[in-house]
Amino acid sequence: MPELPEVETTRRGIAPHIIEKRIKKAIIRNPNLRWPVTENMADILKGQVIKGVDRRGKYLLLSLTEGTLLLHLGMSGHLHLLESACQPQKHDHIDILFEGGLCLRFRDPRRFGCFIWTKEAPYEHPLLKSLGYEPLSNDFNGTYLWNASRDKKVAVKNFIMDSHILVGVGNIYATESLFSAGIHPKRAAGRISKARYDALAKAIKAILKHAIEAGGTTLKDFLSSEGKPGYFKQALKVYGRAGEPCVQCGTNLSQCRLGQRGTVYCSQCQT
DNA sequence: ACGAAGCCCTGCAAGC
DNA sequence: TGCTTGCAGGGCTTCG
C-alpha cells in the first residue's frame, strides 16, 4: 500500500533512468483502472520523450514532450523498472518500452490506481487542483492545521487524512503520527490546541521523512530490486498492533473504526 | 457546506 | 481440502 514515502521513493528510483528517454512503444493490457485508460493511450505515448518526473501528494507526474501522465498507485500499485520487457505476470496492466530496451511496468492487482493523460497544465487538472499542502513543505505547520480546523467537528484522524487539507497522509502515517503526538484519533479537529497541532505537524514531517530516508537505502538497487521501496513494518509503533502492549506505557492498544478505516491507538498515551 | 457512507477491486486469512 | 465469508484500503462520488 504505497503512501507518500513509497511514491517519493518510486519517483526517485525511476527518474534518473527514464528522463530524456524516448518511448518506443506502450502496451495497455488492461485499461480498467480507477478510470479507464484512454483508448488511444498507446498512440499518444509513442515517440514522446520523458522530460521530468514529479510528485504531488501520491500522484506521480510524468512530463512528456506533449503533455503529462498522471499516475496514482492506488493501494496495490507498483512501478517496476526492467532492463528488458520480460514475460508479464498477472496484473501487469501497462508497459512503457523505451528506445534502448528499458521497460517501465505498471502493476496494480486491485486496480485502484489510475493512468491519465492530460495536455493541459497538470496542476490545473481537477484531480490535482484542489489538493492541500505538501506535508514536507515549509508552508505546512501546526498553525496551518490549527487555522484549517476551527469549527470542524470531524475526528482529527479523518481531518489529517483529507487530501484537501494536506496530501499524502494515509491510514498508516495518520495512525502513527497521532500516537507520536499523543492525540486521540477520535478527538474533534476543532477542539485541539495550537500547541498540540504544532506537535502533530512535527510528527507528520518526522515520520514521513524517516520513511523516505529508509526507502532511499534501496534506491541504488532500484533497477535490480524490481522497485520494491523499503517498507519497515518494525518501525510501526501502533498500526497493525491492536491488542499488543503500547511501547510507551504497556497498556494494550485499542482499536476502533474511523471513516471506514481501522484505527489503533493507546487509550492512556493519546488524549 | 459539512460530514458520513458508498463504491471500486483482488488477495489473503479465518471459519466451516 | 475446498469452499465461503470478511476484511483491507485511497480517494472520488453520492447521499443526508
Side-chain angles (χ1 to χ4, degrees):
Chain A
M1 46 201 98
E3 298 216 33
L4 188 145
E6 289 75 26
V7 178
E8 178 61 20
T9 298
T10 299
R11 188 191 72 77
R12 294 182 190 181
I14 63 173
H17 298 285
I18 65 172
I19 283 178
E20 295 303 328
K21 291 273 180 8
R22 185 180 297 275
I23 297 171
K24 189 177 170 187
K25 184 182 179 185
I27 301 170
I28 317 294
R29 295 189 192 85
N30 185 353
N32 303 115
L33 304 181
R34 177 78 161 82
W35 295 284
V37 177
T38 186
E39 233 169 81
N40 55 343
M41 182 65 87
D43 294 332
I44 291 172
L45 297 183
K46 189 176 179 180
Q48 294 207 55
V49 176
I50 308 279
K51 291 312 217 180
V53 184
D54 298 296
R55 178 187 62 75
R56 178 75 172 98
K58 296 181 192 171
Y59 288 91
L60 281 170
L61 289 77
L62 270 59
S63 302
L64 308 191
T65 324
E66 295 168 24
T68 308
L69 269 178
L70 302 179
L71 273 69
H72 198 293
L73 300 177
M75 59 168 293
S76 61
H78 276 289
L79 281 175
H80 299 170
L81 206 47
L82 308 166
E83 299 278 13
S84 62
C86 55
Q87 184 69 25
Q89 297 181 343
K90 199 179 178 184
H91 307 307
D92 287 342
H93 305 312
I94 298 171
D95 280 0
I96 296 180
L97 303 160
F98 295 96
E99 287 179 356
L102 206 59
C103 171
L104 185 65
R105 178 165 284 176
F106 181 80
R107 172 182 299 172
D108 185 7
R110 292 182 198 179
R111 291 190 270 130
F112 278 21
C114 66
F115 197 93
I116 290 171
W117 170 252
T118 178
K119 291 183 83 165
E120 313 301 320
Y123 294 100
E124 295 301 310
H125 190 278
L127 287 171
L128 303 189
K129 194 172 183 179
S130 60
L131 290 179
Y133 280 26
E134 285 287 334
L136 296 177
S137 72
N138 291 330
D139 295 336
F140 173 72
N141 53 38
T143 304
Y144 167 71
L145 283 181
W146 187 80
N147 282 330
S149 62
R150 292 310 86 193
D151 299 328
K152 290 217 186 285
K153 297 186 174 87
V154 67
V156 62
K157 176 161 177 271
N158 295 349
F159 175 69
I160 60 171
M161 287 176 68
D162 183 344
S163 62
H164 300 103
I165 303 297
L166 79 153
V167 296
V169 176
N171 199 32
I172 295 173
Y173 292 100
T175 300
E176 292 294 318
S177 54
L178 285 168
F179 175 77
S180 176
I183 298 171
H184 197 291
K186 281 187 181 174
R187 178 171 287 275
R191 305 202 55 175
I192 292 173
S193 69
K194 188 177 164 306
R196 301 189 83 193
Y197 271 125
D198 287 338
L200 181 56
K202 277 182 186 160
I204 291 170
K205 284 174 190 277
I207 289 171
L208 289 177
K209 264 184 200 161
H210 181 257
I212 290 171
E213 282 161 16
T217 60
T218 64
L219 277 183
K220 67 181 171 57
D221 298 323
F222 200 89
L223 257 172
S224 54
S225 68
E226 265 220 328
K228 279 186 205 157
Y231 192 68
F232 298 103
K233 209 177 174 204
Q234 64 269 27
L236 301 176
K237 292 181 177 159
V238 277
Y239 181 87
R241 294 192 62 242
E244 295 176 39
C246 169
V247 294
Q248 284 180 16
C249 76
T251 304
N252 287 345
L253 295 173
S254 308
Q255 182 162 31
C256 66
R257 285 188 81 75
L258 267 174
Q260 316 287 80
R261 302 288 185 271
T263 304
V264 185
Y265 62 97
C266 175
S267 58
Q268 291 298 307
C269 298
Q270 294 175 257
T271 59

